[in-house]
Amino acid sequence: MKHQRIIVTDPTLRDGSHACSHQISVEQIRRYATAAEAAGVDYLEVGHGNGLGASSLQVGLSLVPEREMLATARACLKQTGLSVHVMPGFATAKREIANAIEVGVDLFRVGSHCTEADLTQRHISYVRNAGKEAWGVLMMTHMASKEVLLEESKKMQSYGAQGIMLMDSAGAAVPDDVKQKIGLLAEKLEVPVGFHAHNNLGLSVANSLAALEVGARILDGTARGFGAGAGNAPLELIVAAMQRLGYSCRADLYKVLDAGELAEELFAENLPVSNSITIVSGLAGVFSGFAKPVQRAAKQMGVDPRDVFVELGKRKVVGGQEDLILEVASELAARQKPVADGKPR
Amino acid sequence: MQPTPEKMKVAIVGTGNIGTDLLMKVLRSPWLECRLFAGRNLSSPGMMKADQMGVPVSGKGIQGIVQRRTEFDLVFDATSAEDHKRHAVILAELGLLAVDLTPAKVGKMCVPAVNLEECLEAQNVNMVSCGGQASIPLAFAIASVNQDIEYIETVSSIASRSAGPATRINLDEYLATTENGLAAFSRGTPTKAILNLNPAQPCVHMQTTVLAKIKNPDLEKTRAAVAAIVRKIQDYVPGYQLIVPPLIESNRLAVMVRVEGRGDYMPKYAGNLDIINCAAIAIAEAHARRNRP
Amino acid sequence: MKSRLEQVRSDTAAVLKGRTELLKPLAGTHLVITGGTGFLGTWLLELIAALNADYQFNTRVTIYSRSSPDFIRRHKHLGSHKEFRFLEGDIRFLTELPHETDYIIHAAALTDRRLFASNPTAVGEVNGLGTIRLLRAASLLENLRNLLLVSSGLVYGPQLLSVERINELYSSGFPCDSANAIYAESKRFAEAFAASFVSETKIPLVIARPFAFVGPYQSLELPWAVTDFIRDSLAGRPIKIMGDGSTVRSLMYASDFAYWTLAALVRGQTRQAYNIGSPEPVDLLSLARMITQHFTPPPDILTKVGQSGYETTRLVPCVDKACRELGVQLTVPLAEAIQKTINWHRLSES
């Protein structure tokens, strides 16, 4: 093999939470986690779509309490590490992180909007002091230049992050963006750099490979792309493509393909598809996790969900600001009223 | 109201952005007079501004307050939670009223639209948090007309530029303080607070949403109660606006407000800093009114 | 014969002709210039006065300077301009800027080489502390669109003679432990502080690194080569060059300097630095000849009047980045710049 081994992280049971409005069941966790362990992914990420402590009216209540989700997965994993996503502002160190440490989480991926890395200082330190692994995650990375991303990831590195992930949370990136941003980080950071794709523009696999090409050492992929919006880079496709290109990883291709088959069965009703809404969402650069709540609100208020995405994009909303969906949808509805009344605008 | 020479005399300790904005509000108040602006950095921008405006200043922090204790009746504390815990003891010994803008949680929680009268009896009041000042009155209004409230949640989005290093490092404390405040004013309902920082340019104004899970919500009564309390808040926070009146969506009751700051010292987008200062001024002015026949 | 003011107006008209579109973002905005009464500040005001008069820009300017009263007396046409407001103050004690500020050019700094020698601590304090104060005040602004920090081409350290032009990535190590280092170090500190400030507060900020300039309003009292040469020629005295005249500089004309500065303000990208100056190298002997040819009889040029240890130096910027990213170009070649400057000094005040 010509390349260094790539770490494969699988957030199917975390990002996929968005795709089914956070209704992942204990049974689904148990069966998928068992398959992920067999497939040999390095880490399996589990929890609410927005991470620890995010089960809320704002972004959706989880079907299963956090502790139970994590404990269920924990019981199925041996070689594969258990990972969680952490967003300061939702999760606090002493409550959610301490709780997750107790359950036996191995890796904490502490994230913030791509320009707000300093919010993660306390949480990363807390995890490191507890003797656990912490990575820094920058989200919505299409909204910042590569220089800003470097500066922010250096902050996380200085807090003790042992890896840095760039998330294309809106699925708005094209391979050239990824090469520039990941390339600069891979060149300048001491810790391994990784990439997390979304498929809104159908580029999740291409973007993931572009990241590897310029030195990424970590890749996120989900079974059948089970994730927010148009989904993530499908795990089975990136593992296959990596094999084709000569990148090594711990995962076993056939077992990964099996996990994909299982996901198709387990999550049949909610597997992500590319449609006009996810495409507009990607173009507008809006957090992929907004897809379901936007559709719900648009339906209730009688407005075009695409218009809602365009307006949200104009307002530069960030992950966690789901309440603005209601505001935008009701505003659009109010604007439409005169038409409904038959009066000219 | 005609300003009279008999204003209530106050001091401010803490000369950062909050303290300086508070000073601007005291200077405008017809009821209050700032007799000392005390901090530890005589060359901080706030301190220099106060000095340029002719306000007496001290670089000795709380010791400056102690030295001139007879010159005022009320002290605003805009330092830090850790510092206020020490200051609280000193201020109590001196018999001075304390209005605490830090998350120290020493004094009685004060949200003027909800419990102003009760707070007048307390020697030390705590202004909870910016998100608390914006959301607690709404939660209180919702709780006053609905039974069987299972859960209340508040989400605030603020401009990234309005959150300084201290706010960022103390994010967890902010969430805990806001949750405690919400629970206390909504009959102990389980609560959750969420904070988002948005870096968009131009800067976004502070927005706060209150979401509630209620068995059989009475939307009409809730709307009336929310409208009434919003008017009450607007008496002391002029930039507080209801942008989404109570509605039911996906089995949750939602109401949303925006807070535009007055732009006294901090920019207008920093509604989060404005609202807590406006609330602090409201309680101080209430003391001043009560003491003057 | 034209007056000095007429020449300045024809210079501003020339540099703006066909090039105002690029500056359009300035229209209708409020600009604060700190140190707005120096050579650069005067030219910025001349350009904005022309933009307001001839292109309906309606740009309001607040000028913050220690020497505002003196400036208003000396430059009545600018001092009485209805869109310009002059504040008198020391940048070290600045606490607040007008709330409606859209743009800032921070040019307040001690730049007089004589002062570097006699009062270097003041240079460090004004340039360093002044920048801290200005940035703290800027962070309170709601509508700030961009802040231009006027730094210096000296932040790079001495240019190696083997390097033709220095670009924005150039750096040659130089010692910081001498009083001579204070000016360059104060500017380096200002830049590092600004970068830290951007990282922490996310305010928009761009850095300009000016090199050497020539033109009207530049005091001939300054002990720089070009001002020395022009002053001595005007006085009919010989030009004295310490070394053999092989030291190399480049000079940009004042109107270009001001235009490029405004372009960097409205077009510069946050966290980027841009060289501002002429990429056209000239050695001191050629420069002296270029100047003396405008006089009859031409003054003598004496070389090697200094010690034999006199060191040849070179300072010429590469300005490709500014040309490419700001969309600017040099409009006044050196020979014309020299001729215009000498002409201006010969003209009467009005």
Side-chain angles (χ1 to χ4, degrees), chain B residues 24-128:
Chain B
M24 297 302 119
K25 289 174 165 55
V26 169
L27 294 178
R28 197 179 42 232
S29 168
W31 298 92
L32 308 174
E33 177 184 351
C34 188
R35 296 297 290 266
L36 187 64
F37 192 59
R40 284 186 297 216
N41 178 0
L42 275 175
S43 66
S44 73
M47 195 69 101
M48 291 202 303
K49 185 175 170 68
D51 188 41
Q52 284 164 12
M53 296 178 82
V55 175
V57 299
S58 162
K60 292 182 185 150
I62 192 72
Q63 281 315 311
I65 301 282
V66 173
Q67 283 167 6
R68 303 201 198 175
R69 60 185 171 273
T70 55
E71 295 178 32
F72 34 77
D73 304 310
L74 181 148
V75 177
F76 293 100
D77 192 335
T79 58
S80 68
E82 207 175 300
D83 284 336
H84 182 71
K85 284 176 190 158
R86 283 190 304 113
H87 297 172
V89 179
I90 297 170
L91 295 173
E93 277 171 10
L94 297 176
L96 293 170
L97 293 169
V99 176
D100 172 25
L101 292 105
T102 79
K105 293 182 273 188
V106 176
K108 184 179 174 64
M109 278 195 279
C110 173
V111 180
V114 177
N115 70 342
L116 187 73
E117 288 301 317
E118 295 164 39
C119 287
L120 290 174
E121 307 309 321
Q123 176 266 329
N124 186 327
V125 294
N126 174 264
M127 305 315 295
V128 196

